Amino acid sequence: MDSNRITPLTILAVLSIFFVCILVSAVISLSILGMPDPNGTYEYYPLIISQAISSILSFGLPAIIVAAWKSKSAFSTLTDVKPVQPLAWFLAIAILTICQPLVQWGAYVNEQICMNLDSWEGLRAMAMANNKLYAGIMHYETPLQCCLMIFLMAILPAIVEEMFFRGTMQRIMTITTRNPWMAIFTTSVVFSLLHGDMVAFFPRFILGFLLGIIYYFGHNIWVNIAAHAFNNLLAVTTLIYSEGDLLESLNKLQDNPGPVMPIIALALTILGIQGYIYRTQGNLPTNNNANTDITQ
Protein backbone atom coordinates (compact mmCIF):
# COMPACT_ATOMS: atom_id res chain seq x y z
CA MET A 1 0.00 0.00 0.00
CA ASP A 2 1.62 3.24 -1.09
CA SER A 3 1.47 6.04 1.47
CA ASN A 4 -0.30 8.40 -0.94
CA ARG A 5 -3.17 5.91 -1.20
CA ILE A 6 -3.94 6.12 2.52
CA THR A 7 -6.71 8.68 2.71
CA PRO A 8 -9.52 9.40 5.17
CA LEU A 9 -11.77 7.51 2.77
CA THR A 10 -9.48 4.46 3.06
CA ILE A 11 -9.70 4.56 6.86
CA LEU A 12 -13.47 4.98 6.70
CA ALA A 13 -13.70 1.99 4.35
CA VAL A 14 -11.61 -0.16 6.70
CA LEU A 15 -13.78 0.81 9.68
CA SER A 16 -16.93 0.11 7.65
CA ILE A 17 -15.62 -3.35 6.75
CA PHE A 18 -14.90 -4.02 10.40
CA PHE A 19 -18.32 -2.95 11.68
CA VAL A 20 -20.14 -4.89 8.96
CA CYS A 21 -18.16 -7.99 9.96
CA ILE A 22 -18.98 -7.34 13.63
CA LEU A 23 -22.70 -7.14 12.80
CA VAL A 24 -22.63 -10.32 10.73
CA SER A 25 -20.64 -12.04 13.48
CA ALA A 26 -23.18 -11.04 16.14
CA VAL A 27 -26.15 -12.27 14.10
CA ILE A 28 -24.58 -15.64 13.27
CA SER A 29 -23.10 -16.21 16.74
CA LEU A 30 -26.35 -15.41 18.55
CA SER A 31 -28.35 -17.66 16.22
CA ILE A 32 -26.00 -20.56 17.00
CA LEU A 33 -25.76 -19.82 20.71
CA GLY A 34 -29.51 -19.89 21.24
CA MET A 35 -31.18 -19.26 24.57
CA PRO A 36 -29.60 -20.07 27.94
CA ASP A 37 -31.09 -22.63 30.32
CA PRO A 38 -32.91 -21.53 33.51
CA ASN A 39 -29.51 -21.20 35.25
CA GLY A 40 -28.32 -18.75 32.62
CA THR A 41 -25.78 -21.14 31.05
CA TYR A 42 -25.46 -22.25 27.44
CA GLU A 43 -24.89 -25.64 25.87
CA TYR A 44 -21.16 -26.32 25.60
CA TYR A 45 -20.61 -27.01 21.91
CA PRO A 46 -22.90 -24.24 20.59
CA LEU A 47 -20.98 -21.91 22.92
CA ILE A 48 -17.65 -23.14 21.51
CA ILE A 49 -18.78 -22.79 17.89
CA SER A 50 -20.28 -19.37 18.56
CA GLN A 51 -17.03 -18.13 20.13
CA ALA A 52 -14.94 -19.42 17.22
CA ILE A 53 -17.18 -17.77 14.63
CA SER A 54 -17.23 -14.53 16.60
CA SER A 55 -13.41 -14.35 16.72
CA ILE A 56 -12.91 -15.22 13.06
CA LEU A 57 -15.61 -12.94 11.65
CA SER A 58 -14.97 -10.01 14.01
CA PHE A 59 -11.20 -9.72 13.55
CA GLY A 60 -9.85 -12.29 11.10
CA LEU A 61 -12.25 -11.60 8.23
CA PRO A 62 -11.75 -7.79 8.20
CA ALA A 63 -7.96 -8.29 8.13
CA ILE A 64 -8.28 -10.74 5.23
CA ILE A 65 -10.61 -8.44 3.27
CA VAL A 66 -8.36 -5.39 3.71
CA ALA A 67 -5.25 -7.38 2.80
CA ALA A 68 -6.94 -8.73 -0.33
CA TRP A 69 -8.03 -5.21 -1.23
CA LYS A 70 -4.65 -3.55 -0.67
CA SER A 71 -2.20 -6.32 -1.58
CA LYS A 72 -1.74 -9.38 -3.76
CA SER A 73 -2.64 -11.91 -1.08
CA ALA A 74 -5.52 -12.14 1.37
CA PHE A 75 -3.21 -13.70 3.97
CA SER A 76 -0.24 -11.42 3.34
CA THR A 77 -0.35 -10.24 6.97
CA LEU A 78 0.65 -13.75 8.06
CA THR A 79 3.13 -14.56 5.30
CA ASP A 80 5.11 -11.37 4.74
CA VAL A 81 7.38 -11.13 7.79
CA LYS A 82 10.98 -10.31 8.57
CA PRO A 83 13.27 -12.90 10.20
CA VAL A 84 13.77 -12.55 13.94
CA GLN A 85 16.51 -14.05 16.13
CA PRO A 86 15.40 -16.84 18.52
CA LEU A 87 16.33 -14.66 21.50
CA ALA A 88 13.93 -11.97 20.26
CA TRP A 89 11.08 -14.50 20.33
CA PHE A 90 11.95 -15.29 23.94
CA LEU A 91 12.19 -11.60 24.86
CA ALA A 92 8.79 -10.82 23.30
CA ILE A 93 7.15 -13.53 25.39
CA ALA A 94 9.14 -12.48 28.47
CA ILE A 95 7.96 -8.87 28.11
CA LEU A 96 4.30 -9.88 28.32
CA THR A 97 5.07 -12.16 31.26
CA ILE A 98 7.10 -9.84 33.47
CA CYS A 99 4.64 -6.98 32.93
CA GLN A 100 1.84 -8.85 34.73
CA PRO A 101 2.15 -6.93 38.05
CA LEU A 102 1.93 -3.72 36.00
CA VAL A 103 -1.18 -5.07 34.27
CA GLN A 104 -2.68 -5.97 37.65
CA TRP A 105 -2.02 -2.43 38.85
CA GLY A 106 -3.75 -1.13 35.71
CA ALA A 107 -6.75 -3.34 36.48
CA TYR A 108 -6.90 -2.01 40.04
CA VAL A 109 -6.75 1.64 38.91
CA ASN A 110 -9.31 0.91 36.18
CA GLU A 111 -11.81 -0.52 38.66
CA GLN A 112 -11.30 2.31 41.16
CA ILE A 113 -12.13 4.82 38.42
CA CYS A 114 -15.12 2.86 37.14
CA MET A 115 -16.55 2.42 40.64
CA ASN A 116 -16.89 6.20 40.90
CA LEU A 117 -18.92 6.44 37.69
CA ASP A 118 -22.71 6.58 37.62
CA SER A 119 -22.67 3.78 35.03
CA TRP A 120 -20.60 1.46 37.25
CA GLU A 121 -23.39 -1.05 37.87
CA GLY A 122 -24.11 -1.35 34.15
CA LEU A 123 -20.42 -1.70 33.27
CA ARG A 124 -19.97 -4.32 35.96
CA ALA A 125 -23.02 -6.25 34.77
CA MET A 126 -21.69 -6.34 31.21
CA ALA A 127 -18.30 -7.55 32.43
CA MET A 128 -19.91 -10.29 34.52
CA ALA A 129 -22.03 -11.43 31.56
CA ASN A 130 -18.90 -11.74 29.42
CA ASN A 131 -17.10 -13.55 32.21
CA LYS A 132 -19.94 -16.07 32.45
CA LEU A 133 -19.41 -16.97 28.79
CA TYR A 134 -15.65 -17.28 29.32
CA ALA A 135 -16.22 -19.48 32.36
CA GLY A 136 -18.47 -21.73 30.30
CA ILE A 137 -15.77 -22.18 27.67
CA MET A 138 -13.02 -22.78 30.24
CA HIS A 139 -15.06 -25.44 32.05
CA TYR A 140 -13.84 -28.60 30.34
CA GLU A 141 -14.40 -32.26 31.20
CA THR A 142 -12.50 -34.18 28.49
CA PRO A 143 -9.07 -33.82 26.82
CA LEU A 144 -10.83 -32.77 23.61
CA GLN A 145 -12.68 -29.99 25.42
CA CYS A 146 -9.39 -28.90 27.03
CA CYS A 147 -7.74 -28.63 23.60
CA LEU A 148 -10.73 -26.71 22.24
CA MET A 149 -10.61 -24.37 25.20
CA ILE A 150 -6.89 -23.64 24.72
CA PHE A 151 -7.41 -23.04 21.00
CA LEU A 152 -10.41 -20.75 21.46
CA MET A 153 -9.19 -18.80 24.49
CA ALA A 154 -5.47 -18.53 23.70
CA ILE A 155 -4.44 -19.35 20.13
CA LEU A 156 -7.29 -18.26 17.84
CA PRO A 157 -7.79 -14.81 19.44
CA ALA A 158 -4.04 -14.19 19.24
CA ILE A 159 -3.97 -14.98 15.52
CA VAL A 160 -7.00 -12.99 14.37
CA GLU A 161 -6.49 -10.04 16.73
CA GLU A 162 -2.85 -9.61 15.75
CA MET A 163 -3.81 -9.86 12.07
CA PHE A 164 -6.32 -7.05 12.48
CA PHE A 165 -4.90 -4.73 15.12
CA ARG A 166 -1.17 -4.89 14.48
CA GLY A 167 -0.93 -6.30 10.95
CA THR A 168 -3.68 -4.08 9.52
CA MET A 169 -4.74 -1.19 11.77
CA GLN A 170 -1.33 -0.28 13.19
CA ARG A 171 0.25 -0.29 9.73
CA ILE A 172 -2.47 1.94 8.34
CA MET A 173 -2.25 4.33 11.30
CA THR A 174 1.56 4.48 11.00
CA ILE A 175 1.27 5.49 7.35
CA THR A 176 -1.52 7.96 8.09
CA THR A 177 0.03 9.71 11.10
CA ARG A 178 3.68 9.22 10.04
CA ASN A 179 4.29 8.73 13.75
CA PRO A 180 4.72 5.11 14.89
CA TRP A 181 4.14 5.95 18.56
CA MET A 182 0.86 7.68 17.80
CA ALA A 183 -0.11 4.66 15.71
CA ILE A 184 0.77 2.27 18.54
CA PHE A 185 -1.15 4.39 21.07
CA THR A 186 -4.25 4.74 18.87
CA THR A 187 -4.31 1.07 17.97
CA SER A 188 -3.95 0.12 21.64
CA VAL A 189 -6.91 2.29 22.59
CA VAL A 190 -9.06 0.74 19.86
CA PHE A 191 -7.79 -2.74 20.78
CA SER A 192 -8.99 -2.28 24.34
CA LEU A 193 -12.27 -0.55 23.48
CA LEU A 194 -13.36 -3.20 20.97
CA HIS A 195 -13.11 -5.93 23.59
CA GLY A 196 -16.25 -4.31 25.03
CA ASP A 197 -15.21 -4.37 28.68
CA MET A 198 -14.48 -0.93 30.12
CA VAL A 199 -13.78 -2.48 33.54
CA ALA A 200 -10.62 -3.98 31.99
CA PHE A 201 -9.71 -1.10 29.66
CA PHE A 202 -6.34 -0.18 31.23
CA PRO A 203 -4.84 -3.70 31.45
CA ARG A 204 -5.79 -4.46 27.84
CA PHE A 205 -4.39 -1.09 26.77
CA ILE A 206 -1.06 -1.89 28.44
CA LEU A 207 -0.88 -5.26 26.70
CA GLY A 208 -1.90 -3.72 23.38
CA PHE A 209 0.77 -1.02 23.69
CA LEU A 210 3.49 -3.60 24.39
CA LEU A 211 2.31 -5.74 21.46
CA GLY A 212 2.41 -2.65 19.27
CA ILE A 213 6.05 -2.00 20.23
CA ILE A 214 6.94 -5.63 19.59
CA TYR A 215 5.37 -5.50 16.14
CA TYR A 216 6.84 -2.15 15.08
CA PHE A 217 10.43 -3.06 15.93
CA GLY A 218 10.27 -6.74 14.98
CA HIS A 219 7.91 -6.54 12.00
CA ASN A 220 7.09 -10.22 12.40
CA ILE A 221 3.43 -10.93 13.09
CA TRP A 222 4.18 -14.47 14.26
CA VAL A 223 6.31 -13.15 17.13
CA ASN A 224 3.28 -11.08 18.16
CA ILE A 225 0.97 -14.06 17.83
CA ALA A 226 3.29 -16.23 19.96
CA ALA A 227 3.57 -13.58 22.69
CA HIS A 228 -0.17 -12.83 22.62
CA ALA A 229 -1.10 -16.53 22.74
CA PHE A 230 1.29 -17.18 25.63
CA ASN A 231 -0.21 -14.25 27.55
CA ASN A 232 -3.72 -15.61 26.96
CA LEU A 233 -2.67 -19.10 28.01
CA LEU A 234 -1.02 -17.75 31.15
CA ALA A 235 -4.20 -15.87 32.08
CA VAL A 236 -6.43 -18.90 31.42
CA THR A 237 -4.16 -21.26 33.37
CA THR A 238 -4.00 -18.85 36.32
CA LEU A 239 -7.79 -18.59 36.42
CA ILE A 240 -8.43 -22.31 36.11
CA TYR A 241 -6.02 -23.23 38.90
CA SER A 242 -6.84 -20.30 41.15
CA GLU A 243 -8.67 -20.94 44.40
CA GLY A 244 -12.45 -20.94 44.35
CA ASP A 245 -15.01 -21.07 41.59
CA LEU A 246 -13.83 -20.07 38.11
CA LEU A 247 -16.64 -17.57 37.60
CA GLU A 248 -16.01 -16.12 41.04
CA SER A 249 -12.33 -15.68 40.14
CA LEU A 250 -13.25 -13.93 36.90
CA ASN A 251 -15.65 -11.56 38.66
CA LYS A 252 -13.42 -10.86 41.65
CA LEU A 253 -12.40 -7.22 42.06
CA GLN A 254 -8.67 -6.60 41.92
CA ASP A 255 -6.89 -6.11 45.21
CA ASN A 256 -4.53 -3.18 45.61
CA PRO A 257 -1.19 -4.59 44.38
CA GLY A 258 0.83 -1.90 46.12
CA PRO A 259 3.56 0.16 44.44
CA VAL A 260 6.59 -2.13 44.73
CA MET A 261 5.84 -4.95 42.27
CA PRO A 262 4.35 -2.70 39.54
CA ILE A 263 7.47 -0.48 39.67
CA ILE A 264 9.77 -3.51 39.47
CA ALA A 265 7.67 -4.93 36.63
CA LEU A 266 7.85 -1.60 34.78
CA ALA A 267 11.64 -1.51 35.10
CA LEU A 268 12.03 -5.11 33.93
CA THR A 269 9.59 -4.52 31.06
CA ILE A 270 11.59 -1.51 29.86
CA LEU A 271 14.78 -3.60 30.02
CA GLY A 272 13.06 -6.36 28.06
CA ILE A 273 11.92 -3.89 25.42
CA GLN A 274 15.44 -2.48 25.12
CA GLY A 275 16.80 -5.99 24.62
CA TYR A 276 14.13 -6.79 22.05
CA ILE A 277 14.83 -3.58 20.12
CA TYR A 278 18.55 -4.39 20.12
CA ARG A 279 17.91 -7.91 18.81
CA THR A 280 15.55 -6.68 16.06
CA GLN A 281 17.27 -3.43 15.09
CA GLY A 282 17.79 -4.65 11.53
CA ASN A 283 14.00 -4.95 11.09
CA LEU A 284 13.21 -1.33 11.96
CA PRO A 285 11.95 0.55 8.87
CA THR A 286 14.13 3.40 7.63
CA ASN A 287 12.80 6.86 6.88
CA ASN A 288 12.71 5.99 3.20
CA ASN A 289 10.58 2.88 3.42
CA ALA A 290 8.83 3.09 6.77
CA ASN A 291 5.66 1.08 6.36
CA THR A 292 4.96 2.37 2.87
CA ASP A 293 3.17 -0.86 2.08
CA ILE A 294 0.63 -2.57 4.29
CA THR A 295 2.22 -5.90 3.43
CA GLN A 296 5.80 -4.71 3.13
Side-chain angles (χ1 to χ4, degrees), residues 239-250:
L239 283 170
I240 289 177
Y241 291 100
S242 61
E243 296 181 1
D245 180 74
L246 177 58
L247 183 58
E248 180 183 350
S249 299
L250 279 164

Side-chain angles (χ1 to χ4, degrees), residues 97-106 257-258 261-266:
T97 303
I98 61 179
C99 77
Q100 292 306 311
L102 184 61
V103 172
Q104 184 183 6
W105 173 81
M261 289 306 297
I263 292 174
I264 294 175
L266 177 61

